[in-house]
Amino acid sequence: MAVRTGAERLAGEPGLVDDGRLGLITNFTGVLPDLRPTSVALLEAGLPLTALFGPEHGLRGTAQAGESEAEGVDPDTGLPVFDTYLRHGRELDDLFSGVDVLLFDIQDIGTRFYTYVWTMYDCLKAAERLGKPFVVLDRPNPLGGVQVEGPALQPGFESFVGRAPIPLRHGLTVGELARQLGEATVITMDGWSRDSWETGMTWVPPSPNMPTLDTALVYPGTGLFEGTNLSEGRGTTRPFETIGAPFIDARFVPALRECELPGVVFRRTWFEPVFSKYAGQAVPGVQVHVVDRAAYQPVRTALVMLRVLNDLYPSDFGLLPSLDKLWGSDSLRKSLEAREDPVALLPSTTLDWPRPDALLYEGTTR
C-alpha cells in the first residue's frame, strides 16, 4: 500500500487546518500521487491559499546549489511566489505578513546538511515570533527512520547547513524534526513506519544534484567530500556516488575493499565533470554502490574512505574550510590533520536523540 502523505490527506480533508489566509512553503517536490503540485490540489480543494514561498533551488528547481529563483507569479496557480533562501529575522517575518497560517511541504532526505530542513526551521521560528500557526505536511524520510549516524552539531558551528544540534543522519521525518526543534502541528502520513523502505511513491529528484534514491542513500557520507579537494561528482550524472581526484590511482579501490564495509561495493571509475571541481578533466576515482540499504552505514563508510585517502595520498589529499560546517564541528578536520582514525569520532553509544515526544510513527531510532 502506498504511503498517504500529509499533503494528500489535507487535499482530501481541508478541515485539518485552521481558517485564514494560507501560505505554502514548497517546491517541485510538493506533489500528490498523480504528481499535481500540492498548491494546485489545495486550491482545488477550496483552501484559501494566498502565497507560495520557495527554498534554495527555487519553486521549480532550476537553480543550482547556493542559488534560488527570482520572485514572481506561479503560472500553475496565479499566486505570488516569494523567495525565502538566506532570509532570516525581520526580513523573513516581513515576508509572511500577508498570511495567517504557514504550511510546509518539501521532501527532505534525512541529512543534516541538506538545506530544506533549515528553511523549515527558519520559517518555523518566524512563525513562532509572529504567533502564527506552522503546519507541516509530512513526508517519508527516504533513508528510513531507524538508523541515526554521526555526532550532533556543536555550538559555534551553526550555519545554513546546520542550525541546531542534530545528528548528521537524523532519522526523522520533517514533521518529527519540526516537533523536535519547535512548536509545529503535523498532518501525519498514513502507511509509513520507521523501518519502511517501500513507499509506493514516485521519486521526484529533490534538487539538481540529487537525481536518484541511490544518491540520497550515500549523501550523508559522501556529502562530506565537498569539504575536501576531491570531486564529489557534481557536474556528472552520478553526483555523490562518484568520488575522485587527479591524484587517485589504482590502489584506492582495493584498499577500500579490504575494509569489508557492510552493504556497499566499490568500483573503480573515471568521470569528467562539466562544472564544479576538475570541470573538463578526466578524473579517476570510485563509484559507491549500495547493495544492502539496511546494512549500509553512509557516515561510517565515508569516514573510512577519508582515512584511506589520508593514508595513501598524504601529500595530495587536502581539506577545505567548509568541512567543519558539514561535520558540525572541527573534530573531523583535526582528526585527519593529526592522521588519526576518524571512525573513532562516531558516538560509541546511541545519542540521546530524539525526544520521545517528537516521534510520530511506529518503531524506534538507534
Side-chain angles (χ1 to χ4, degrees):
M1 183 180 70
V3 168
R4 190 166 178 247
T5 65
E8 186 179 0
R9 287 190 60 207
L10 180 58
E13 304 172 65
L16 290 173
V17 296
D18 296 335
D19 293 333
R21 298 166 298 174
L22 304 181
L24 178 63
I25 304 155
T26 192
N27 67 358
F28 51 95
T29 66
V31 294
L32 269 65
D34 60 5
L35 300 184
R36 279 181 303 154
T38 298
S39 55
V40 171
L42 297 186
L43 286 172
E44 291 177 350
L47 284 157
L49 192 59
T50 60
L52 303 177
F53 302 90
E56 183 182 11
H57 308 296
L59 185 72
R60 297 169 297 175
T62 61
Q64 278 291 341
E67 300 176 0
S68 58
E69 296 170 343
E71 297 182 335
V73 175
D74 174 38
D76 291 333
T77 61
L79 295 175
V81 179
F82 300 96
D83 179 25
T84 69
Y85 183 51
L86 296 183
R87 290 182 173 174
H88 51 85
R90 178 64 181 273
E91 188 178 14
L92 197 55
D93 295 352
D94 291 344
L95 204 62
F96 299 140
S97 61
V99 300
D100 302 310
V101 180
L102 282 167
L103 309 178
F104 180 90
D105 185 35
I106 297 178
Q107 179 64 61
D108 179 43
I109 60 165
T111 303
R112 185 181 66 223
F113 45 67
Y114 203 59
T115 64
Y116 293 155
V117 296
W118 304 116
T119 290
M120 179 183 71
Y121 178 81
D122 288 347
C123 295
L124 171 61
K125 293 305 174 183
E128 291 176 355
R129 291 191 297 270
L130 296 168
K132 298 184 179 186
F134 191 90
V135 182
V136 178
L137 312 183
D138 215 4
R139 290 183 172 273
N141 183 332
L143 305 185
V146 175
Q147 292 191 50
V148 174
E149 281 192 88
L153 180 139
Q154 296 300 303
F157 292 89
E158 297 87 354
S159 72
F160 196 56
V161 292
R163 294 276 200 230
I166 72 172
L168 204 159
R169 178 182 179 179
H170 55 71
L172 303 183
T173 68
V174 284
E176 292 175 323
L177 196 58
R179 284 166 59 94
Q180 173 76 24
L181 299 175
E183 298 294 329
T185 299
V186 181
I187 299 180
T188 57
M189 297 175 280
D190 292 333
W192 190 79
S193 61
R194 313 208 73 78
D195 60 355
S196 173
W197 287 103
E198 300 304 325
T199 65
M201 297 170 60
T202 300
W203 176 262
V204 176
S207 60
N209 288 288
M210 197 61 56
T212 70
L213 177 57
D214 287 339
T215 321
L217 292 171
V218 301
Y219 182 69
T222 55
L224 294 169
F225 282 87
E226 294 190 76
T228 75
N229 64 344
L230 275 80
S231 167
E232 65 278 5
R234 286 187 185 274
T236 76
T237 59
R238 289 290 181 177
F240 302 106
E241 296 175 61
T242 49
I243 304 296
F247 57 82
I248 299 298
D249 59 24
R251 296 175 293 164
F252 187 41
V253 168
L256 291 176
R257 290 175 176 170
E258 288 178 4
C259 297
E260 298 183 343
L261 289 159
V264 63
V265 176
F266 299 99
R267 179 180 67 87
R268 192 179 184 200
T269 189
W270 291 259
F271 56 97
E272 186 174 313
V274 298
F275 64 86
S276 196
K277 298 172 187 170
Y278 307 117
Q281 300 182 47
V283 179
V286 62
Q287 182 167 353
V288 180
H289 295 266
V290 178
V291 294
D292 185 338
R293 296 177 188 174
Y296 175 59
Q297 300 172 65
V299 179
R300 180 179 293 273
T301 298
L303 294 181
V304 170
M305 294 173 71
L306 291 168
R307 182 188 69 202
V308 171
L309 286 163
N310 216 17
D311 290 344
L312 292 179
Y313 313 106
S315 61
D316 296 306
F317 176 52
L319 307 176
L320 305 178
S322 57
L323 183 62
D324 290 357
K325 290 183 178 180
L326 293 167
W327 183 247
S329 77
D330 58 5
S331 64
L332 177 56
R333 174 176 54 81
K334 289 182 175 179
S335 173
L336 292 168
E337 289 174 345
R339 308 192 60 76
E340 298 169 347
D341 184 358
V343 175
L345 299 174
L346 293 174
S348 58
T349 59
T350 302
L351 293 167
D352 185 17
W353 169 266
R355 292 198 323 265
D357 62 335
L359 298 179
L360 293 166
Y361 304 96
E362 294 181 3
T364 58
T365 59
R366 64 169 185 265

